[in-house]
Amino acid sequence: MNLVFLGPPGAGKGTQANLVTKQCGIPQISTGDILRSAVANQTPMGVKAKRYMDDGLLVPDDVVVGIVEERLSSDDCVVGFILDGFPRTVAQADALKVMLQGAGRSIEHVISFEVDHSVLLGRLTGRRMCRSCGRGFHVVFDPPAETGVCDGCGGELYQREDDREETIRRRLEVYDEQTAPLKSYYEAASLLRKIDALGTIESVQLAIQNIIASR
Ligand SMILES: [Zn+2]
């Protein structure tokens, strides 16, 4: 089962990928993780990527694609994989298609985690962190006993810059702009499966199971 997960930050992709991994025994491949590990293990592509990173440059498409290719050729990917954070662009999606075709494989489902931005904003802007011990809270889902005070150590809770409404709003807009062409691309290929990602963990899991079972 070869899957791609598409969805904005905070849509629960990581949680669901973990569940599919446990259930189907296929690894979750997140671009950030494999990039770090390729660099640490000094694979041929990792060495290339490190040169760009050391210069403070974005790692170019062909190197990212090369790193994904290295990872997908590992033994544990023989039974399948979940790609998370890749492809990000239509060019990358094309490269992925060619790479898989060369190995006699293909993507079976592209699962798009659909979320209403205002709900996602509420989720993400409610996060708070303790200044002293770093423990995380949420004003709605996991509130501290006393507002603004850490349950664990009594430290002061604050909102990270990344969790501010303006920052998140911008991040979601950028995400939509980048992903819209990718969604059209996979829709045209009849691979796009949209799921409502704002349900409970169980209901989202069920929706994904139904998609996987549908072929
Ligand atoms: Zn604390």
Coordinates of all heavy atoms in Angstrom, one line a residue, residues 51-133:
R51 N 25.7 20.3 1.9 CA 26.4 21.4 1.3 C 25.5 22.6 1.2 O 25.9 23.7 1.5 CB 27.0 21.1 -0.1 CG 28.3 20.4 0.0 CD 28.9 20.2 -1.4 NE 29.3 18.8 -1.6 CZ 29.1 18.1 -2.6 NH1 28.4 18.5 -3.7 NH2 29.6 16.8 -2.7
Y52 N 24.2 22.4 0.8 CA 23.3 23.5 0.7 C 22.9 24.0 2.1 O 22.8 25.2 2.4 CB 22.0 23.0 0.0 CG 22.2 22.7 -1.5 CD1 22.5 21.5 -1.9 CD2 22.2 23.8 -2.4 CE1 22.7 21.2 -3.3 CE2 22.4 23.5 -3.7 CZ 22.7 22.2 -4.2 OH 22.9 22.0 -5.5
M53 N 22.7 23.0 3.0 CA 22.3 23.4 4.4 C 23.4 24.2 5.1 O 23.1 25.2 5.8 CB 21.9 22.2 5.2 CG 20.6 21.5 4.7 SD 20.5 19.8 5.1 CE 19.7 19.8 6.7
D54 N 24.6 23.8 4.9 CA 25.7 24.5 5.5 C 25.8 26.0 5.0 O 26.2 26.9 5.7 CB 27.1 23.8 5.2 CG 27.2 22.6 6.1 OD1 26.4 22.4 7.0 OD2 28.1 21.7 5.8
D55 N 25.4 26.2 3.7 CA 25.4 27.5 3.2 C 24.1 28.3 3.4 O 23.9 29.4 2.9 CB 25.6 27.4 1.6 CG 27.0 27.0 1.3 OD1 27.9 27.1 2.1 OD2 27.2 26.5 0.1
G56 N 23.2 27.7 4.2 CA 22.0 28.3 4.6 C 21.0 28.4 3.4 O 20.1 29.2 3.4
L57 N 21.2 27.5 2.4 CA 20.3 27.4 1.3 C 19.3 26.3 1.4 O 19.5 25.4 2.1 CB 21.1 27.2 0.0 CG 22.2 28.3 -0.3 CD1 23.1 27.8 -1.5 CD2 21.5 29.6 -0.7
L58 N 18.2 26.5 0.7 CA 17.1 25.5 0.6 C 17.7 24.3 -0.2 O 18.4 24.5 -1.2 CB 15.9 26.0 -0.2 CG 14.7 26.5 0.7 CD1 13.7 27.1 -0.2 CD2 14.1 25.4 1.5
V59 N 17.4 23.1 0.3 CA 17.9 21.9 -0.5 C 17.0 21.8 -1.7 O 15.8 21.8 -1.7 CB 17.7 20.7 0.4 CG1 18.1 19.4 -0.4 CG2 18.5 20.8 1.7
P60 N 17.6 21.8 -2.9 CA 16.9 21.8 -4.2 C 16.1 20.5 -4.4 O 16.4 19.5 -3.8 CB 17.9 22.0 -5.3 CG 19.2 21.6 -4.6 CD 19.1 21.8 -3.2
D61 N 15.1 20.6 -5.3 CA 14.2 19.5 -5.6 C 14.9 18.2 -5.9 O 14.5 17.2 -5.4 CB 13.3 19.9 -6.8 CG 11.9 20.3 -6.3 OD1 11.7 20.5 -5.1 OD2 11.0 20.5 -7.2
D62 N 15.9 18.3 -6.8 CA 16.5 17.0 -7.2 C 17.2 16.3 -6.1 O 17.2 15.0 -6.1 CB 17.4 17.2 -8.4 CG 18.6 18.2 -8.1 OD1 18.3 19.1 -7.3 OD2 19.7 17.9 -8.6
V63 N 17.7 17.0 -5.1 CA 18.3 16.4 -4.0 C 17.3 15.8 -3.0 O 17.4 14.7 -2.6 CB 19.3 17.4 -3.2 CG1 19.9 16.7 -2.0 CG2 20.3 17.9 -4.2
V64 N 16.2 16.6 -2.8 CA 15.1 16.0 -2.0 C 14.5 14.8 -2.6 O 14.3 13.8 -1.9 CB 14.0 17.1 -1.8 CG1 12.8 16.5 -1.0 CG2 14.5 18.4 -1.1
V65 N 14.3 14.8 -3.9 CA 13.8 13.7 -4.6 C 14.8 12.5 -4.5 O 14.4 11.3 -4.2 CB 13.5 14.0 -6.1 CG1 13.3 12.7 -6.9 CG2 12.4 15.0 -6.2
G66 N 16.1 12.8 -4.6 CA 17.1 11.7 -4.4 C 17.0 11.1 -3.1 O 17.2 9.9 -2.9
I67 N 16.8 11.9 -2.1 CA 16.8 11.4 -0.7 C 15.5 10.5 -0.5 O 15.6 9.5 0.2 CB 16.9 12.6 0.3 CG1 18.3 13.1 0.4 CG2 16.4 12.1 1.7 CD1 18.5 14.3 1.2
V68 N 14.4 10.9 -1.0 CA 13.2 10.1 -1.0 C 13.4 8.8 -1.7 O 13.1 7.7 -1.2 CB 12.0 10.9 -1.6 CG1 10.8 10.0 -1.7 CG2 11.7 12.1 -0.7
E69 N 14.1 8.9 -2.8 CA 14.4 7.6 -3.6 C 15.2 6.7 -2.8 O 15.0 5.5 -2.7 CB 15.0 8.0 -4.9 CG 15.1 6.8 -5.8 CD 15.4 7.2 -7.3 OE1 15.9 8.4 -7.5 OE2 15.1 6.4 -8.2
E70 N 16.3 7.2 -2.2 CA 17.1 6.4 -1.3 C 16.3 5.7 -0.2 O 16.4 4.5 0.0 CB 18.2 7.2 -0.6 CG 19.4 7.6 -1.5 CD 20.4 8.5 -0.7 OE1 20.1 9.0 0.4 OE2 21.5 8.7 -1.3
R71 N 15.4 6.5 0.4 CA 14.6 5.9 1.5 C 13.6 4.9 1.0 O 13.5 3.8 1.6 CB 13.9 7.1 2.2 CG 13.0 6.7 3.4 CD 13.9 6.1 4.5 NE 13.0 5.5 5.6 CZ 12.5 4.3 5.6 NH1 12.8 3.5 4.7 NH2 11.8 3.9 6.7
L72 N 13.0 5.1 -0.1 CA 12.0 4.2 -0.7 C 12.6 2.9 -1.1 O 11.9 1.9 -1.3 CB 11.2 4.9 -1.8 CG 10.3 6.0 -1.4 CD1 9.5 6.5 -2.6 CD2 9.3 5.6 -0.3
S73 N 13.9 2.9 -1.4 CA 14.5 1.6 -1.8 C 15.0 0.8 -0.7 O 15.5 -0.3 -0.8 CB 15.7 2.0 -2.8 OG 16.7 2.7 -2.1
S74 N 14.7 1.2 0.6 CA 15.0 0.4 1.8 C 14.1 -0.8 1.9 O 13.0 -0.8 1.4 CB 14.9 1.2 3.1 OG 15.5 2.5 3.0
D75 N 14.6 -1.8 2.5 CA 13.8 -3.1 2.6 C 12.5 -2.9 3.3 O 11.5 -3.5 2.9 CB 14.6 -4.1 3.5 CG 15.9 -4.6 2.8 OD1 15.9 -4.4 1.6 OD2 16.7 -5.2 3.5
D76 N 12.4 -2.0 4.3 CA 11.1 -1.9 5.0 C 10.0 -1.3 4.1 O 8.8 -1.3 4.5 CB 11.2 -1.2 6.3 CG 11.7 0.3 6.1 OD1 12.3 0.6 5.1 OD2 11.4 1.1 7.0
C77 N 10.4 -0.7 3.0 CA 9.4 0.0 2.1 C 8.8 -1.0 1.0 O 8.0 -0.6 0.2 CB 10.0 1.2 1.4 SG 10.3 2.5 2.6
V78 N 9.3 -2.2 1.0 CA 8.9 -3.2 0.0 C 7.4 -3.4 0.1 O 6.7 -3.5 -0.9 CB 9.6 -4.5 0.2 CG1 9.0 -5.6 -0.7 CG2 11.1 -4.4 -0.2
V79 N 6.8 -3.4 1.4 CA 5.4 -3.6 1.6 C 4.6 -2.3 1.4 O 3.4 -2.4 1.3 CB 5.1 -4.2 3.0 CG1 5.5 -5.7 3.0 CG2 5.8 -3.4 4.0
G80 N 5.3 -1.2 1.3 CA 4.5 0.0 1.1 C 5.1 1.2 1.9 O 6.1 1.0 2.6
F81 N 4.4 2.3 1.9 CA 4.9 3.5 2.7 C 3.9 4.5 2.8 O 2.9 4.5 2.0 CB 6.2 4.1 2.0 CG 6.0 4.4 0.5 CD1 5.3 5.5 0.1 CD2 6.4 3.5 -0.5 CE1 5.1 5.8 -1.3 CE2 6.2 3.7 -1.8 CZ 5.6 4.9 -2.2
I82 N 4.0 5.4 3.7 CA 3.2 6.6 3.8 C 4.1 7.8 3.7 O 5.0 8.0 4.5 CB 2.5 6.8 5.2 CG1 1.8 5.5 5.5 CG2 1.6 8.0 5.2 CD1 1.4 5.4 7.0
L83 N 3.9 8.6 2.6 CA 4.8 9.8 2.4 C 4.0 11.0 3.1 O 2.9 11.2 2.9 CB 5.0 10.1 1.0 CG 6.1 9.3 0.3 CD1 6.0 9.6 -1.2 CD2 7.4 9.6 0.8
D84 N 4.8 11.7 3.9 CA 4.2 12.8 4.7 C 5.1 14.0 4.5 O 6.3 14.0 4.9 CB 4.1 12.4 6.2 CG 3.7 13.6 7.0 OD1 3.3 14.6 6.5 OD2 3.8 13.4 8.3
G85 N 4.6 15.1 3.8 CA 5.5 16.2 3.6 C 6.2 16.2 2.2 O 7.0 17.1 1.9
F86 N 5.9 15.2 1.4 CA 6.4 15.0 0.1 C 5.4 14.3 -0.7 O 4.8 13.3 -0.2 CB 7.7 14.3 0.1 CG 8.3 14.1 -1.2 CD1 9.2 15.0 -1.7 CD2 8.0 13.0 -2.0 CE1 9.8 14.9 -3.0 CE2 8.6 12.9 -3.3 CZ 9.5 13.8 -3.8
P87 N 5.1 14.6 -2.0 CA 5.6 15.8 -2.7 C 4.9 17.1 -2.2 O 3.8 17.1 -1.7 CB 5.3 15.5 -4.1 CG 4.1 14.6 -4.1 CD 4.2 13.8 -2.8
R88 N 5.7 18.2 -2.4 CA 5.1 19.5 -2.0 C 4.7 20.3 -3.3 O 4.0 21.3 -3.2 CB 6.2 20.3 -1.3 CG 6.1 20.1 0.2 CD 6.8 21.3 0.9 NE 7.3 20.8 2.2 CZ 6.6 20.5 3.3 NH1 5.3 20.7 3.2 NH2 7.1 20.1 4.4
T89 N 5.3 19.9 -4.4 CA 5.0 20.6 -5.7 C 4.7 19.6 -6.8 O 5.0 18.4 -6.6 CB 6.3 21.4 -6.1 OG1 7.3 20.5 -6.4 CG2 6.7 22.4 -5.1
V90 N 4.1 20.2 -7.8 CA 3.7 19.3 -9.0 C 5.0 18.7 -9.6 O 5.0 17.5 -10.0 CB 2.9 20.1 -10.0 CG1 2.8 19.3 -11.3 CG2 1.6 20.4 -9.4
A91 N 6.1 19.5 -9.6 CA 7.4 19.0 -10.1 C 7.8 17.8 -9.3 O 8.3 16.8 -9.9 CB 8.4 20.1 -10.1
Q92 N 7.7 17.9 -8.0 CA 8.1 16.7 -7.1 C 7.2 15.5 -7.4 O 7.6 14.4 -7.3 CB 8.1 17.2 -5.7 CG 9.2 18.1 -5.3 CD 9.2 18.4 -3.8 OE1 8.3 18.0 -3.1 NE2 10.2 19.1 -3.3
A93 N 5.9 15.8 -7.6 CA 4.9 14.7 -7.8 C 5.3 14.0 -9.1 O 5.2 12.8 -9.1 CB 3.5 15.3 -7.8
D94 N 5.7 14.8 -10.1 CA 6.1 14.1 -11.4 C 7.3 13.3 -11.2 O 7.4 12.1 -11.7 CB 6.4 15.2 -12.4 CG 5.2 15.5 -13.3 OD1 4.4 14.6 -13.5 OD2 5.0 16.7 -13.7
A95 N 8.3 13.8 -10.4 CA 9.5 13.1 -10.2 C 9.2 11.8 -9.4 O 9.8 10.7 -9.7 CB 10.5 14.0 -9.4
L96 N 8.3 11.9 -8.5 CA 7.9 10.7 -7.7 C 7.3 9.6 -8.6 O 7.6 8.4 -8.5 CB 6.9 11.1 -6.6 CG 6.4 10.0 -5.7 CD1 7.4 9.3 -4.9 CD2 5.2 10.5 -4.8
K97 N 6.4 10.1 -9.5 CA 5.7 9.2 -10.4 C 6.8 8.4 -11.2 O 6.7 7.2 -11.3 CB 4.8 10.0 -11.3 CG 3.9 9.1 -12.1 CD 3.0 10.0 -12.9 CE 2.3 9.3 -14.0 NZ 1.6 10.2 -14.9
V98 N 7.7 9.1 -11.8 CA 8.7 8.5 -12.7 C 9.6 7.6 -11.9 O 9.9 6.4 -12.3 CB 9.6 9.7 -13.3 CG1 10.8 9.1 -14.0 CG2 8.8 10.5 -14.2
M99 N 10.0 8.0 -10.6 CA 10.8 7.2 -9.8 C 10.1 5.9 -9.5 O 10.7 4.8 -9.5 CB 11.1 8.0 -8.5 CG 11.8 7.2 -7.4 SD 11.4 8.0 -5.7 CE 11.7 9.7 -6.0
L100 N 8.8 5.9 -9.1 CA 8.1 4.7 -8.8 C 7.9 3.8 -10.0 O 8.0 2.6 -9.9 CB 6.7 5.1 -8.1 CG 6.8 5.7 -6.7 CD1 5.4 6.2 -6.3 CD2 7.4 4.7 -5.7
Q101 N 7.6 4.4 -11.1 CA 7.4 3.7 -12.4 C 8.6 2.9 -12.7 O 8.5 1.7 -13.1 CB 7.0 4.6 -13.5 CG 5.6 4.8 -13.8 CD 5.3 5.9 -14.8 OE1 6.2 6.6 -15.2 NE2 4.0 6.1 -15.1
G102 N 9.8 3.5 -12.5 CA 11.0 2.8 -12.7 C 11.2 1.6 -11.9 O 11.9 0.6 -12.3
A103 N 10.5 1.5 -10.7 CA 10.6 0.4 -9.8 C 9.4 -0.5 -10.0 O 9.1 -1.4 -9.1 CB 10.8 0.9 -8.4
G104 N 8.5 -0.2 -11.0 CA 7.3 -1.0 -11.2 C 6.2 -0.8 -10.1 O 5.4 -1.6 -9.8
R105 N 6.3 0.5 -9.5 CA 5.3 0.7 -8.4 C 4.5 2.0 -8.8 O 4.8 2.7 -9.7 CB 6.1 1.0 -7.1 CG 7.2 0.0 -6.8 CD 8.0 0.4 -5.7 NE 7.4 0.1 -4.4 CZ 8.0 0.4 -3.2 NH1 9.2 0.9 -3.2 NH2 7.4 0.1 -2.1
S106 N 3.5 2.3 -7.9 CA 2.8 3.5 -8.1 C 2.1 3.9 -6.8 O 2.0 3.1 -5.9 CB 1.7 3.3 -9.2 OG 0.8 2.3 -8.8
I107 N 1.6 5.2 -6.7 CA 0.9 5.6 -5.6 C -0.6 5.1 -5.7 O -1.1 5.2 -6.8 CB 0.9 7.2 -5.5 CG1 2.3 7.7 -5.3 CG2 -0.1 7.7 -4.5 CD1 2.8 7.4 -3.9
E108 N -1.1 4.6 -4.6 CA -2.5 4.1 -4.7 C -3.6 5.1 -4.2 O -4.6 5.2 -4.8 CB -2.6 2.8 -3.9 CG -2.0 1.7 -4.7 CD -1.3 0.6 -3.9 OE1 -0.4 0.9 -3.1 OE2 -1.8 -0.5 -3.9
H109 N -3.2 5.8 -3.2 CA -4.2 6.8 -2.7 C -3.4 8.1 -2.2 O -2.4 7.9 -1.5 CB -5.0 6.3 -1.5 CG -5.7 5.0 -1.7 ND1 -6.9 5.0 -2.5 CD2 -5.5 3.8 -1.3 CE1 -7.3 3.7 -2.6 NE2 -6.5 3.0 -1.8
V110 N -3.9 9.2 -2.5 CA -3.4 10.5 -1.9 C -4.6 11.0 -1.0 O -5.6 11.4 -1.5 CB -3.1 11.5 -3.0 CG1 -2.7 12.8 -2.4 CG2 -2.0 11.0 -3.9
I111 N -4.3 10.9 0.3 CA -5.3 11.2 1.3 C -5.2 12.6 1.7 O -4.1 13.0 2.3 CB -5.3 10.2 2.5 CG1 -5.5 8.8 2.0 CG2 -6.3 10.6 3.5 CD1 -5.5 7.7 3.0
S112 N -6.2 13.4 1.4 CA -6.1 14.9 1.7 C -6.9 15.2 3.0 O -8.1 14.9 3.0 CB -6.7 15.7 0.5 OG -6.8 17.0 0.8
F113 N -6.2 15.6 4.0 CA -6.8 16.0 5.3 C -7.5 17.3 5.1 O -6.8 18.4 5.2 CB -5.8 16.0 6.4 CG -5.3 14.6 6.8 CD1 -4.7 13.8 5.8 CD2 -5.5 14.1 8.1 CE1 -4.2 12.5 6.2 CE2 -5.0 12.9 8.4 CZ -4.4 12.1 7.5
E114 N -8.8 17.4 5.0 CA -9.5 18.6 4.8 C -9.9 19.2 6.2 O -10.5 18.5 7.0 CB -10.8 18.4 4.0 CG -10.5 17.7 2.6 CD -9.9 18.7 1.6 OE1 -10.4 19.9 1.6 OE2 -9.0 18.4 0.9
V115 N -9.5 20.5 6.4 CA -9.9 21.1 7.6 C -10.3 22.5 7.4 O -9.8 23.2 6.5 CB -8.7 21.1 8.6 CG1 -8.4 19.8 9.2 CG2 -7.4 21.7 7.9
D116 N -11.3 23.0 8.2 CA -11.7 24.3 8.2 C -10.7 25.2 8.9 O -10.3 24.9 10.0 CB -13.1 24.4 8.9 CG -13.6 25.8 8.8 OD1 -14.0 26.2 7.7 OD2 -13.7 26.5 9.8
H117 N -10.2 26.2 8.2 CA -9.2 27.1 8.7 C -9.5 27.7 10.1 O -8.6 27.7 11.0 CB -8.8 28.2 7.8 CG -7.8 27.7 6.7 ND1 -7.1 28.5 5.9 CD2 -7.5 26.4 6.3 CE1 -6.4 27.8 5.1 NE2 -6.6 26.6 5.3
S118 N -10.8 28.1 10.3 CA -11.1 28.8 11.5 C -11.0 27.8 12.7 O -10.6 28.1 13.8 CB -12.5 29.4 11.5 OG -13.4 28.4 11.2
V119 N -11.4 26.5 12.5 CA -11.3 25.5 13.5 C -9.8 25.2 13.8 O -9.4 25.1 15.0 CB -12.0 24.2 13.1 CG1 -11.9 23.1 14.2 CG2 -13.5 24.5 12.8
L120 N -9.1 25.1 12.8 CA -7.6 24.8 12.9 C -7.0 26.0 13.7 O -6.1 25.7 14.6 CB -7.0 24.6 11.6 CG -5.7 23.8 11.5 CD1 -5.9 22.5 12.1 CD2 -5.3 23.7 10.0
L121 N -7.4 27.2 13.4 CA -6.8 28.4 14.1 C -7.1 28.3 15.6 O -6.2 28.5 16.4 CB -7.5 29.6 13.5 CG -6.7 30.4 12.4 CD1 -7.6 31.5 11.9 CD2 -5.4 30.9 12.9
G122 N -8.3 27.9 15.9 CA -8.7 27.7 17.3 C -7.8 26.7 18.0 O -7.4 26.9 19.1
R123 N -7.6 25.6 17.3 CA -6.8 24.5 17.9 C -5.3 25.0 18.1 O -4.8 24.8 19.2 CB -6.7 23.3 16.9 CG -7.8 22.4 17.0 CD -7.4 21.2 16.2 NE -8.5 20.2 16.0 CZ -8.4 19.1 15.3 NH1 -7.3 18.8 14.7 NH2 -9.5 18.3 15.1
L124 N -4.8 25.6 17.1 CA -3.4 25.9 17.1 C -3.1 27.1 18.0 O -2.0 27.2 18.7 CB -2.8 26.1 15.7 CG -2.9 24.9 14.8 CD1 -2.5 25.2 13.4 CD2 -1.9 23.8 15.4
T125 N -4.0 28.1 18.0 CA -3.7 29.3 18.8 C -3.9 29.1 20.3 O -3.6 29.9 21.1 CB -4.5 30.5 18.3 OG1 -5.9 30.2 18.4 CG2 -4.1 31.0 16.9
G126 N -4.6 28.0 20.6 CA -4.8 27.7 22.1 C -3.7 27.0 22.8 O -3.7 26.8 24.0
R127 N -2.6 26.8 22.1 CA -1.5 26.1 22.7 C -0.7 27.1 23.6 O -0.5 28.2 23.3 CB -0.5 25.5 21.6 CG -1.2 24.5 20.8 CD -0.2 23.5 20.2 NE 0.5 24.2 19.1 CZ 0.9 23.5 18.0 NH1 0.7 22.2 17.9 NH2 1.5 24.1 17.0
R128 N -0.3 26.6 24.8 CA 0.6 27.3 25.7 C 1.7 26.5 26.2 O 1.6 25.3 26.3 CB -0.3 27.8 26.9 CG -1.4 28.7 26.6 CD -1.0 30.1 26.1 NE -2.1 30.9 25.9 CZ -2.8 31.0 24.7 NH1 -2.4 30.2 23.7 NH2 -3.8 31.8 24.5
M129 N 2.8 27.1 26.5 CA 4.0 26.4 27.0 C 4.5 27.0 28.3 O 4.3 28.2 28.5 CB 5.2 26.6 26.0 CG 5.0 25.9 24.7 SD 5.8 24.3 24.7 CE 7.5 24.7 24.4
C130 N 5.1 26.1 29.1 CA 5.6 26.6 30.4 C 7.0 27.2 30.2 O 7.8 26.5 29.5 CB 5.6 25.5 31.4 SG 6.5 25.9 32.9
R131 N 7.3 28.4 30.7 CA 8.6 29.0 30.5 C 9.7 28.2 31.3 O 10.8 28.2 30.9 CB 8.6 30.4 31.0 CG 8.1 31.4 30.0 CD 8.4 32.8 30.5 NE 7.5 33.8 29.8 CZ 7.6 34.1 28.6 NH1 8.5 33.7 27.8 NH2 6.7 35.0 28.1
S132 N 9.3 27.6 32.4 CA 10.3 26.9 33.2 C 10.6 25.5 32.8 O 11.7 25.1 32.6 CB 9.8 26.9 34.7 OG 9.5 28.2 35.0
C133 N 9.5 24.7 32.6 CA 9.8 23.3 32.3 C 9.4 22.8 30.9 O 9.7 21.7 30.5 CB 9.1 22.4 33.3 SG 7.3 22.3 33.1

